[in-house]
Amino acid sequence: MNNEQCRTARALLGWTAVQLGRRSGVGRRTILEFEGGDRSLLPKTILRLRAVFVVNGIEFINDEAGIGVKRCFRLEEYIGNQMTARQSAHAC
């Protein structure tokens, strides 16, 4: 996981650096410095961050098409989002 993947994964989940820090045990400042490209992390720290993302539906991509991230929804989460969208559409 590189710094851009970390920043993007956090944005996809709608988390602040504080929220990611609480879930991973990594400090907010460390996260922000890493995402900003101002700091390198130990491999074990990257694994901690990455594990938190994976458990929460983030898939890391690193193949011939490129490097990135995508969000995978659990079925119940996806259904809940669809129902909320329908309710909002009918409210207009």
Side-chain angles (χ1 to χ4, degrees):
M1 176 181 74
N2 65 29
N3 63 326
E4 291 176 357
Q5 287 174 307
C6 184
R7 185 174 55 249
T8 303
R10 188 167 60 80
L12 283 171
L13 292 169
W15 292 353
T16 65
V18 170
Q19 290 170 312
L20 175 57
R22 286 183 184 145
R23 287 174 167 90
S24 66
V26 177
R28 177 194 64 86
R29 183 175 176 182
T30 299
I31 292 167
L32 292 174
E33 288 176 357
F34 173 64
E35 289 179 351
D38 300 321
R39 182 178 194 159
S40 296
L41 299 181
L42 295 172
K44 68 179 183 176
T45 305
I46 291 175
L47 287 175
R48 286 170 68 181
L49 292 170
R50 185 180 173 118
V52 169
F53 287 135
V54 169
V55 166
N56 285 280
I58 297 297
E59 183 177 328
F60 291 88
I61 302 164
N62 189 2
D63 59 23
E64 65 279 350
I67 297 172
V69 296
K70 70 178 182 177
R71 174 126 191 249
C72 300
F73 291 94
R74 293 183 305 269
L75 182 58
E76 62 272 7
E77 186 179 8
Y78 177 76
I79 290 170
N81 288 344
Q82 294 300 309
M83 297 204 46
T84 301
R86 284 189 198 135
Q87 290 168 353
S88 297
H90 292 296
C92 296

